[in-house]
Amino acid sequence: GTTTMAIAEGTDCRFTRLSSAGFDTFAGQLAERAGIAIDAARHRLMVAGSEELTDDALARSVLDAGADQLGDDLRTSIEFFASQWGGTVGEIVVTGTALGVPGFLAVLEKRAGLPVKPGQLQGSPEALGGLEPWRVSLAGGLSVEEVAA
């Protein structure tokens, strides 16, 4: 239900912040407003997409509000980072469930004001047993390269 935002320079993480805007947060909002189970809400959001790709106005409004919140959180985090450390951010890389929502990256790009691209999984596609990479969450520690002690 949250989004971890991280600003990296090369392979070094320079800044992190947690946002309460996350796919499960959006699903929870839809479930409550529509009076449906959370799993049904998740499915409805995935099908709905953004930018009028569906007639499901309620799901679309939840996604649009979520994109607004996440875009605002990204912008303010980037502005804070720039004001404190003088760094710049050139693009936003998104991983996770948001990649499975049609049109969400385009809406987020408009809201955040920076190019948004999907994160790419390194390695063999067969390693996931046919699952889309966004469906697989990896512990942060598993993605860190081994370093000598």
Side-chain angles (χ1 to χ4, degrees):
T2 61
T3 297
T4 301
M5 299 177 284
I7 297 177
E9 183 177 355
T11 59
D12 296 330
C13 183
R14 300 288 183 210
F15 176 84
T16 61
R17 181 167 281 168
L18 195 64
S19 170
S20 62
F23 186 78
D24 274 351
T25 302
F26 308 155
Q29 291 168 355
L30 178 60
E32 184 176 319
R33 290 172 64 184
I36 59 176
I38 191 85
D39 287 339
R42 284 186 192 109
H43 177 72
R44 211 165 135 181
L45 289 174
M46 298 293 285
V47 171
S50 298
E51 293 284 301
E52 300 185 25
L53 295 175
T54 181
D55 291 333
D56 190 341
L58 181 56
R60 214 172 51 242
S61 73
V62 168
L63 283 171
D64 287 343
D68 282 342
Q69 181 186 355
L70 186 54
D72 287 347
D73 288 353
L74 286 164
R75 262 194 326 279
T76 58
S77 295
I78 291 167
E79 288 168 4
F80 178 78
F81 173 77
S83 72
Q84 295 297 308
W85 295 281
T88 59
V89 175
E91 67 184 0
I92 296 169
V93 178
V94 176
T95 61
T97 308
L99 294 178
V101 179
F104 190 77
L105 295 188
V107 172
L108 186 58
E109 186 170 278
K110 285 184 202 174
R111 304 295 198 310
L114 282 172
V116 175
K117 70 176 195 175
Q120 299 295 317
L121 181 68
Q122 301 294 319
S124 166
E126 295 81 31
L128 299 178
L131 291 174
E132 296 96 343
W134 59 264
R135 291 192 180 273
V136 181
S137 296
L138 298 175
L142 294 177
S143 64
V144 176
E145 292 180 19
E146 187 174 328
V147 293

